[in-house]
Amino acid sequence: MLRSDLPDLQNLPVSTTATGAGWSDLPGRYRRIRAATRRLAEPLSAEDCCAQSMPDASPVKWHLAHTTWFFETFVLERFARDFKPFDPAFRVLFNSYYNGVGERHPRPQRGLLTRPDLDTVMRYRDAVDGAMQSLLAEGRAGWHALVELGLQHEQQHQELMLTDIKHLLSCHPSWPLYRPASTGTGDRDPWDSPAPSRWMEHQGGLVQVGHAGEGFCFDNEAPRHTLFLQPFALAERLVSNAEYLAFVRDGGYRNPEHWLAEGWDWRTQLALESPLYWRRGPDGGEWQEFTLHGAQALMPAQPVVHLSYFEADAFARWSGSRLPTEAEWEVMAARSVPAGGPGPANGHFAERAVLHPEPGDGDRQLLGSVWQWTSSSYAAYPGFVPAAGAVGEYNGKFMVNQYVLRGGSCATPAEHIRASYRNFFPATARWQFTGLRLARDLR
Amino acid sequence: MLRSDLPDLQNLPVSTTATGAGWSDLPGRYRRIRAATRRLAEPLSAEDCCAQSMPDASPVKWHLAHTTWFFETFVLERFARDFKPFDPAFRVLFNSYYNGVGERHPRPQRGLLTRPDLDTVMRYRDAVDGAMQSLLAEGRAGWHALVELGLQHEQQHQELMLTDIKHLLSCHPSWPLYRPASTGTGDRDPWDSPAPSRWMEHQGGLVQVGHAGEGFCFDNEAPRHTLFLQPFALAERLVSNAEYLAFVRDGGYRNPEHWLAEGWDWRTQLALESPLYWRRGPDGGEWQEFTLHGAQALMPAQPVVHLSYFEADAFARWSGSRLPTEAEWEVMAARSVPAGGPGPANGHFAERAVLHPEPGDGDRQLLGSVWQWTSSSYAAYPGFVPAAGAVGEYNGKFMVNQYVLRGGSCATPAEHIRASYRNFFPATARWQFTGLRLARDLR
Amino acid sequence: MLRSDLPDLQNLPVSTTATGAGWSDLPGRYRRIRAATRRLAEPLSAEDCCAQSMPDASPVKWHLAHTTWFFETFVLERFARDFKPFDPAFRVLFNSYYNGVGERHPRPQRGLLTRPDLDTVMRYRDAVDGAMQSLLAEGRAGWHALVELGLQHEQQHQELMLTDIKHLLSCHPSWPLYRPASTGTGDRDPWDSPAPSRWMEHQGGLVQVGHAGEGFCFDNEAPRHTLFLQPFALAERLVSNAEYLAFVRDGGYRNPEHWLAEGWDWRTQLALESPLYWRRGPDGGEWQEFTLHGAQALMPAQPVVHLSYFEADAFARWSGSRLPTEAEWEVMAARSVPAGGPGPANGHFAERAVLHPEPGDGDRQLLGSVWQWTSSSYAAYPGFVPAAGAVGEYNGKFMVNQYVLRGGSCATPAEHIRASYRNFFPATARWQFTGLRLARDLR
Amino acid sequence: MLRSDLPDLQNLPVSTTATGAGWSDLPGRYRRIRAATRRLAEPLSAEDCCAQSMPDASPVKWHLAHTTWFFETFVLERFARDFKPFDPAFRVLFNSYYNGVGERHPRPQRGLLTRPDLDTVMRYRDAVDGAMQSLLAEGRAGWHALVELGLQHEQQHQELMLTDIKHLLSCHPSWPLYRPASTGTGDRDPWDSPAPSRWMEHQGGLVQVGHAGEGFCFDNEAPRHTLFLQPFALAERLVSNAEYLAFVRDGGYRNPEHWLAEGWDWRTQLALESPLYWRRGPDGGEWQEFTLHGAQALMPAQPVVHLSYFEADAFARWSGSRLPTEAEWEVMAARSVPAGGPGPANGHFAERAVLHPEPGDGDRQLLGSVWQWTSSSYAAYPGFVPAAGAVGEYNGKFMVNQYVLRGGSCATPAEHIRASYRNFFPATARWQFTGLRLARDLR
């Protein structure tokens, strides 16, 4: 009965393998995840929450309301006793893409929804949370998978709230900050030059990719299947600001040799000279970077972030390497981290959710640092079968002209990250936390 | 030293004939006009004041700040003792068009200025008003004309605040109201059919047009000069909703015969079928109109409003008449109302500032009802001389591809209306309070 | 029964005052004018005649066929005995704007009409000319005015053939020539610096403008009517290349102070730095100009040509003058040349039709040199009455957002030029032979 | 030293495995292929050969000259004794994409190149062919691979000449024909309903794809490599007009359920209702199809052709199937036809080069009927290594946002078709001879 909400909620529609294991914990998870969303809005004024900086982004208030609409429409309306909508008009206003629910407000005009105001949206959240807690306390059957889906959906929107507010604030000439930086972002000095990256090798042959095991996954991660790979190597860490700056200084943005033809046309038309949030200081000074903590000088050892696919690909070609395929990335990640998620060692990402990507700290930055562009066009896995009914209606609707990203970012909730997760965006998208890791053939 | 602020502030730059007469009253006028601006924002939330519905419109918060910036930049900075800017960044953020002041924020992105928030802008107004009152109390010479210009500028923005907020609210699917209607909008029933309009005749010959006398005027109203007119007649009242609805029902929007060729292409591309704020009720029911009081059924005797030049011209051709020239309009208005302004008899417009245009009440609706499109392209009067210095830098910069409107509207402050006033907009503009009065040749 | 063909045939629809005087000569005029059209195509290949360089221009082959279609459709079909269409498909293919005739081929795709080929179109002309000569020999009544209209129409297209082919050839990187220059373009040396221009003064007062007398005119030239003018002066000659080059060298295209706001935006978006057909020689050398004789070094004493309204207006402001109104131009021209046309003294224009504008030769260049932008928006004269029936259907359809040009050009047939003639184009049009004459107020 | 010419010449740059085997035959092949190109232009007038119907297409004259330019620039200029260019200006005019050669004429303006005329271009071909025959007779070493590349390049342009001229003629309201149909298009009646298609099964497992053996291939067909496939089935024949018409009649173009989200937006914006060259007969009658033989009634048993990827994908989803991957297509084709090409049994395609796709005649239509969309995004094969030097400069430059097509079409020269050949176009392209074959999973 669910349909997708893309690009807000790209790959939600089908939850295939979520098991009952974690469902005894659903009331607690519900509380924690809903509260985390609300905390993301705390540093913001009502005006900050209302504005929309581009059609691809949504206002924070809209995210707050839409994630609530999801539970009201798909769970409460069908399972709650004596259901009454909080406000019938919200059915249209906060619908994202679900045609079956009826009309929806045009996406590029979400920033014009000054009504309801932020206070009303917060009361909407309170009301729906109250009704949900009652329902969850009942323990009736049938809606667990839907609630789990709603929580996964909400976690996707948590990341989008951060990327969208970052984009909005970046449009202000003063580059205001979202939240002050906490002190001590790691045990390594981000101002150091990064150590040279080494290569992790894989001998190729028959491998398995796709989601395995019991946890939740989206339908596009299944079925797990066999592939034959050639021998390859992945860089041990992400490409750093220092390395990317060398590309910029080498005239990387001025030389069509490094670029895909379509990427070159795009770069030329927009006159791009650097990643999205870089700018030179006053009087052509040193490069600065806009972060959720405001402007800061470029830190050499940090992973470069906010690249399009075209830029990531151009950098890779300039450096004599290439982007990895998503299968290469996944089998290498499966070696290093448990398939089910980053585990406790990555728990620190949750606290860092609003920090800038951590400095290159010597670990492999596979999960939770920046999304890593792969060379793989987003497509169905072999044997992919859309779910029956409306849940599957939009499966695969977005499987064209988009490229897969892997690994999650510092803005992704830690428990939402896993090695089989497939994020995807068009080759021009830059406002997500997107970077790259190099690959090469072994022979 | 002043430059224009168009389209926010179209014809401000040169105040040629303001006399010292009213300047003893400047502190009082300053207080009243600045307070009136603030009252216009009272029904609105911070979110309402921040959003921008299209590039031609500005957020209410921006109007509140920009009109304040005007006094800070052009008066206080030059004349106040120990001047310190409230916030130096505002110099750029709230500059509209004045190149000499330096950079300015791109107009289409004014809605992204969530910082400063509304409270801060109100404190900005308080601070500047305090400093201005001190200055006005001093009675030094030199700045009176600039203050008068600032007040005229502010009155122009009062009208724009109303048209811009009306446009924003109209983009919300629920058509929310700005302010409830007051009861009793006149002694005639707006639901009546309007009485047939009669013609006011003029025998032509040598006439004088342009501003005369002592009050303030903008430079484009001068010099007063002689013209030779052919005999003509103007309708005694504005075209009503009932009459315009007859045009719609007669297929007026489907028949290219009535339209200018460029107007027909415009209408066809946008698939227009009615004035800007008309829509049919549910299930193809009766026509409704969006007003600052929310949706209401179309009132037959009201003047039709929110027409483009193209629609006004098409209606006139369909009805066998034509639009008046601005000279015809002005000489006829000069007969009916004092050249200096509507005078006390029109004082009621001030209270009605947020009301919908009044019903056809039998008077001639020459001033303060709706802006009336004329067939005159906006151009310099013969002998027009740009003022010396930067004040005149932008004189006439907008004298191309725009058409003159006369008469002021229900949203124009009453004391800001006068018969010689020349408003102007492109032929496609519809979000101002724009309607029409018919004219014909006499022979 | 006739409708317009704009922008190919802008102001044709109504021929109000053509008298029978010249009609005894119709067969001869028909032969001469039709032959002149054909001569214009002689230097061109079939491929040259088929291509369309922009939506505003038409292929030469289309002009050849459309002018023939006019006689076939409006004269032969109604008056010839045993009329049979040459090819019924031509009714659609070569209709320009006449809705009553039925469908028409989309204007921007005229260049894709490779069928019929040029030979077939020439046979079409032969066939229609034969039938027309038979009809003209009969001497029946009723069609004389239509034939006269068709000939005037054809003369308008003669000029468009030259401007459209010039634009096409200019798009070729080698700037090929249309026809070699004849030797001896005048008794003055175009390489000389032009002598300073003097002013012709007029004391203003009541004047008459509009077509007077017996010859043919278009409806927009009538009625003749009275105006009151302020004292003014017009320059004795057109602005020269040398003068315009001084504007370019003074940074005229880089300084917004000289430009209308809309003109500045237009110039900036297109990054314009000079008139349409100017370019620098190799390695940033001297300015060259593309002409129908190919590239040639800029001749200082020639009138500047191929300016938009925006450029003409910016030059005038830079030079401390202004553009004349069309009334000022007309009353001054009426002093210098007979109202009925340039007369024998201007007969040399006919032979020069494909030459570049003549050097500044000391005469006043009022007629037949370059079209002269006026500051007058194209609008109806007072008392303008559309003709009854379809002939008048499109009268005035183009009277918005266009500016009037006066005087004819070197590409206008000499007998088609008269002082009351009103040409009009949008403010951005540059591919016609358009220049300017300065004006100023007298006080 | 060679660079690509895309989209004219998409995947030319690297010829990796062409052997000397066929080079003894080079003079003969050169003569035959060059003559075949010339024959394609025979039915066309100079005007037909000059026009350009859209930016993606080129004029026939341009193809004739550009393929000649290739031999002049890359072979004669480097290897011929006493080389003199035919016309130095052609170096720019007929360069397609090769930056190293210098400037090039803007692609969307190729239709404005009325000079040189067609006769001159034919003399250009004669001159270069003469010089090439001399060179080929010499038997010197070094240029054989370049000549082979030039001939492969020319064969690609032969197909483009047909698709581009078809598009141009389709823009003419009369749908003129390119060449009359020959009688007898097969032994089956194309008006029959097609027999139901059956499935060809493959059990999956480890397979090899990519070019093998000795013949010429482009670099993107290499290296041959191992893949692991799941069991699958391909339809025994192409989707027919009858089947596609059922999709149209079932509302396939009105139901977003069948479409990729981006495809639906594209379809909606262009208001598409059928394949590119379908239209209804007069008064909403039966469907007709534009072919190189002119309009003809839709033949049910013919393969549907001129579909975008989006339409092919929507049809497949509507029918409960999917598009094949390029690997599935290739391994199935390898079973049915020799890897080196279609062989003598397909020789008839050469004669049919300008015919419409043959009726469904019971064979498997794998090669030479219509290009078959696959679901595979165009990407590098594992281990792909760009050739050294400029030849490889543009390798892979187009490997983004395009989809692979397989099988060649009725417009592809028979000897140019092979099972490993990878054609590619954006998902919206429709003017090539593109259709589809269904696939499904086996389990």
Side-chain angles (χ1 to χ4, degrees), chain A residues 43-54 61 89 92-93 105 109 111-119 168-169 171-174 176-178, chain B residues 43-54 61 89 92-93 105 109 111-119 168-169 171-174 176-178:
Chain A
L44 302 171
S45 72
E47 295 159 71
D48 292 333
C49 291
C50 188
Q52 179 179 31
S53 58
M54 61 172 173
K61 185 172 72 181
V92 167
L93 290 180
H105 190 70
Q109 298 200 5
L112 305 186
L113 293 177
T114 59
R115 323 277 177 104
D117 63 12
L118 182 60
D119 285 346
L168 172 65
L169 296 176
C171 294
H172 196 287
S174 73
L177 56 78
Y178 165 67
Chain B
L44 302 171
S45 71
E47 295 159 70
D48 291 332
C49 291
C50 188
Q52 179 179 30
S53 59
M54 61 172 172
K61 185 173 71 180
V92 167
L93 290 181
H105 190 70
Q109 298 200 6
L112 305 186
L113 294 178
T114 59
R115 323 276 176 105
D117 63 12
L118 182 60
D119 284 346
L168 171 66
L169 296 177
C171 295
H172 196 288
S174 73
L177 56 78
Y178 165 67

Side-chain angles (χ1 to χ4, degrees), chain B residues 205-207 226-230 325 327 382, chain C residues 202-210 223-230 232 325-331 376 380-382 406 422:
Chain B
L206 286 170
V207 299
T226 302
L227 285 177
F228 185 85
L229 296 183
Q230 312 296 320
T325 66
Chain C
H202 191 290
Q203 293 315 312
L206 287 170
V207 299
Q208 296 269 314
V209 298
R224 188 164 173 84
H225 60 284
T226 301
L227 286 177
F228 186 85
L229 295 184
Q230 312 297 319
F232 69 95
T325 65
E326 62 170 324
E328 289 170 343
W329 191 96
E330 184 170 333
V331 298
S376 298
Y381 280 168
R406 293 298 193 105
R422 306 172 80 200

Side-chain angles (χ1 to χ4, degrees), chain D residues 80-419:
Chain D
R81 305 177 195 279
D82 307 321
F83 170 75
K84 265 193 54 183
F86 181 83
D87 183 329
F90 290 8
R91 194 179 187 80
V92 166
L93 290 181
F94 301 120
N95 182 1
S96 54
Y97 203 87
Y98 187 89
N99 287 318
V101 175
E103 298 282 312
R104 60 182 184 274
H105 189 71
R107 178 184 182 87
Q109 298 201 6
R110 289 177 181 165
L112 305 186
L113 293 178
T114 60
R115 323 277 176 102
D117 64 12
L118 182 59
D119 284 346
T120 307
V121 166
M122 288 307 193
R123 285 189 287 106
Y124 180 39
R125 290 186 71 90
D126 291 340
V128 166
D129 286 350
M132 282 296 296
Q133 292 296 354
S134 301
L135 185 71
L136 290 165
E138 286 184 28
R140 269 197 297 154
W143 39 258
H144 296 88
L146 279 171
V147 175
E148 179 60 34
L149 197 57
L151 294 175
Q152 298 281 343
H153 173 237
E154 182 124 0
Q155 288 181 313
Q156 293 184 307
H157 279 276
Q158 288 171 0
E159 177 153 9
L160 293 171
M161 287 168 74
L162 290 169
T163 56
D164 291 356
I165 194 68
K166 183 170 182 179
H167 190 264
L168 172 66
L169 296 177
S170 79
C171 295
H172 196 287
S174 73
W175 272 10
L177 56 77
Y178 164 69
R179 185 179 277 179
S182 47
T183 53
T185 57
D187 49 355
R188 285 293 215 81
D189 185 346
W191 300 96
D192 276 358
S193 291
S197 181
R198 282 170 304 178
W199 295 94
M200 305 183 284
E201 302 195 345
H202 192 290
Q203 293 314 313
L206 287 170
V207 299
Q208 296 269 314
V209 298
H211 187 257
E214 299 235 320
F216 174 90
C217 79
F218 288 111
D219 67 331
N220 60 14
E221 302 169 51
R224 187 163 173 85
H225 59 285
T226 301
L227 286 177
F228 186 86
L229 296 184
Q230 311 298 320
F232 69 94
L234 290 197
E236 272 200 342
R237 60 165 177 74
L238 299 171
V239 170
S240 67
N241 278 334
E243 288 154 345
Y244 200 84
L245 184 58
F247 170 67
V248 172
R249 290 183 168 151
D250 191 45
Y253 281 81
R254 305 287 175 91
N255 187 345
E257 274 184 31
H258 310 314
W259 296 73
L260 289 162
E262 184 178 330
W264 180 252
D265 292 344
W266 168 80
R267 185 221 73 82
T268 302
Q269 193 178 359
L270 299 178
L272 303 180
E273 301 281 354
S274 71
L276 175 57
Y277 292 132
W278 289 23
R279 72 173 177 198
R280 289 191 169 282
D283 305 317
E286 292 302 301
W287 285 100
Q288 298 179 319
E289 186 175 10
F290 176 63
T291 76
L292 287 167
H293 316 309
Q296 63 173 47
L298 205 62
M299 294 191 286
Q302 287 272 19
V304 64
V305 66
H306 295 296
L307 299 181
S308 65
Y309 178 86
F310 289 131
E311 290 163 295
D313 171 84
F315 176 86
R317 191 171 294 112
W318 171 81
S319 71
S321 304
R322 60 171 174 80
L323 298 178
T325 65
E326 62 169 328
E328 289 170 343
W329 190 95
E330 184 170 332
V331 297
M332 195 61 90
R335 277 194 188 166
S336 311
V337 290
N346 289 276
H348 62 284
F349 287 116
E351 288 83 65
R352 284 211 198 159
V354 298
L355 298 181
H356 194 274
E358 87 291 4
D361 54 6
D363 79 17
R364 294 178 168 180
Q365 302 171 313
L366 278 159
L367 301 177
S369 183
V370 299
W371 288 103
Q372 297 159 55
W373 284 110
T374 74
S375 64
S376 298
S377 179
Y378 178 49
Y381 279 168
F384 172 75
V385 180
V391 180
E393 181 185 339
Y394 286 119
N395 282 327
K397 287 268 158 166
F398 307 103
M399 290 178 171
V400 67
N401 294 340
Q402 309 218 38
Y403 285 81
V404 173
L405 300 116
R406 292 299 192 102
S409 82
C410 60
T412 318
E415 61 184 339
H416 195 71
I417 297 176
R418 61 187 165 270

Side-chain angles (χ1 to χ4, degrees), chain A residues 90-393:
Chain A
F90 289 8
R91 194 179 187 80
V92 167
L93 290 180
F94 300 120
N95 182 2
S96 54
Y97 203 86
Y98 188 90
N99 287 317
V101 175
E103 297 282 313
R104 61 183 185 275
H105 190 70
R107 178 184 184 87
Q109 298 200 5
R110 288 177 182 167
L112 305 186
L113 293 177
T114 59
R115 323 277 177 104
D117 63 12
L118 182 60
D119 285 346
T120 306
V121 166
M122 288 306 192
R123 284 190 286 107
Y124 180 38
R125 289 186 72 91
D126 290 340
V128 166
D129 285 351
M132 282 296 296
Q133 292 296 354
S134 301
L135 184 71
L136 290 166
E138 285 184 28
R140 269 196 299 154
W143 38 259
H144 295 88
L146 279 171
V147 174
E148 179 60 34
L149 198 56
L151 294 175
Q152 298 281 343
H153 172 239
E154 182 124 1
Q155 288 180 314
Q156 292 184 308
H157 278 276
Q158 287 171 0
E159 178 153 8
L160 293 171
M161 287 167 74
L162 290 169
T163 57
D164 291 355
I165 194 69
K166 183 171 182 178
H167 189 263
L168 172 65
L169 296 176
S170 79
C171 294
H172 196 287
S174 73
W175 272 8
L177 56 78
Y178 165 67
R179 185 179 277 179
S182 46
T183 53
T185 57
D187 49 354
R188 286 293 215 81
D189 184 347
W191 300 96
D192 275 357
S193 292
S197 182
R198 283 169 302 179
W199 296 95
M200 305 183 283
E201 303 195 346
H202 191 289
Q203 293 315 313
L206 287 170
V207 300
Q208 297 268 316
V209 298
H211 188 257
E214 299 236 320
F216 174 90
C217 79
F218 288 110
D219 67 331
N220 61 13
E221 301 169 52
R224 188 162 173 84
H225 60 286
T226 301
L227 286 178
F228 186 86
L229 296 184
Q230 311 297 321
F232 69 95
L234 290 197
E236 273 199 341
R237 59 164 176 74
L238 299 171
V239 170
S240 67
N241 278 334
E243 287 154 346
Y244 200 84
L245 184 58
F247 170 67
V248 172
R249 289 184 169 151
D250 191 44
Y253 281 80
R254 304 287 174 91
N255 187 345
E257 275 185 30
H258 310 313
W259 295 73
L260 289 162
E262 184 179 329
W264 180 251
D265 291 345
W266 168 80
R267 186 221 73 81
T268 302
Q269 193 178 359
L270 300 179
L272 302 180
E273 301 283 353
S274 72
L276 175 57
Y277 292 131
W278 289 22
R279 72 173 177 198
R280 289 192 169 283
D283 304 317
E286 292 301 301
W287 285 99
Q288 299 179 320
E289 186 176 9
F290 176 62
T291 75
L292 287 168
H293 316 309
Q296 64 174 45
L298 206 61
M299 294 191 284
Q302 286 273 19
V304 64
V305 66
H306 296 295
L307 299 181
S308 66
Y309 177 87
F310 289 131
E311 289 163 296
D313 172 85
F315 176 87
R317 190 172 294 113
W318 171 82
S319 71
S321 304
R322 60 171 173 81
L323 298 179
T325 65
E326 61 170 327
E328 289 170 343
W329 191 95
E330 184 170 332
V331 298
M332 195 63 88
R335 277 193 188 167
S336 310
V337 290
N346 289 276
H348 61 285
F349 288 116
E351 288 82 65
R352 285 208 198 160
V354 299
L355 298 181
H356 194 274
E358 87 291 5
D361 55 5
D363 78 18
R364 296 179 167 179
Q365 302 171 312
L366 278 159
L367 300 178
S369 183
V370 301
W371 287 103
Q372 297 159 54
W373 284 109
T374 74
S375 64
S376 298
S377 177
Y378 178 50
Y381 279 169
F384 172 75
V385 180
V391 180
E393 181 187 339

